[in-house]
Amino acid sequence: MEFVKSSAVVKYASSLLMGVLFAFLAVNIIGFGAAIAIPKALLTPLVSLSSTFGFTLVNTITIGIPLAIAYALISVLAKQFEASVNHLVLVSPFVFLMLSYLPNVLLRSHDVTYSLSLFMANIAPTLLLAVYLAKKQRNL
């Protein structure tokens, strides 16, 4: 039984399964985050500086940070169930999901820098957290 618990195959399979569940959760978080109404009084000063900056900051706050929090919760839950987690495998289904949306968004958009900044606002906090946790786990 100890072999099954410490097996690398089981570690990768459980990380991949939890990653797929996180990708399903991410779709819901992105949908709810996109539906949040931002008041004009709050958005106007941000957009007056730069529209790309304003909307990227709003996207980071309403979508990017909640995705990172959900990723951290899944990581903590995995540790509670004593499952060995590979953080880079755990985040890979989410990354592939986001990358599958990217060509469609870029082909429809006239402003590529705006689309890329919104894409990075959604994905960057989660990727940074996954890399941080993977490095922290490697140092232990």
Side-chain angles (χ1 to χ4, degrees), residues 4-24 70-71 74-79 81-96 130 133-134 137:
V4 172
K5 201 169 192 179
S6 66
S7 174
V9 174
V10 172
K11 177 180 178 179
Y12 288 124
S14 64
S15 295
L16 191 62
L17 179 64
M18 287 186 288
V20 169
L21 293 175
F22 173 65
F24 279 115
Y71 179 83
I74 287 178
S75 177
V76 167
L77 285 176
K79 287 191 182 219
F81 290 118
E82 297 179 4
S84 183
V85 176
N86 185 335
H87 291 283
L88 299 180
V89 175
L90 179 63
V91 80
S92 63
F94 169 69
V95 171
F96 289 135
L133 291 175
Q137 184 180 32

Side-chain angles (χ1 to χ4, degrees), residues 49-106:
L49 294 172
S50 167
S51 61
T52 302
F53 171 74
F55 289 120
T56 301
L57 185 63
V58 168
N59 240 9
T60 302
I61 293 169
T62 60
I63 297 173
I65 293 174
L67 283 172
I69 292 170
Y71 179 83
L73 288 176
I74 287 178
S75 177
V76 167
L77 285 176
K79 287 191 182 219
Q80 290 292 351
F81 290 118
E82 297 179 4
S84 183
V85 176
N86 185 335
H87 291 283
L88 299 180
V89 175
L90 179 63
V91 80
S92 63
F94 169 69
V95 171
F96 289 135
L97 174 73
M98 294 302 287
L99 287 176
S100 69
Y101 293 146
L102 190 60
N104 192 19
V105 169
L106 291 178

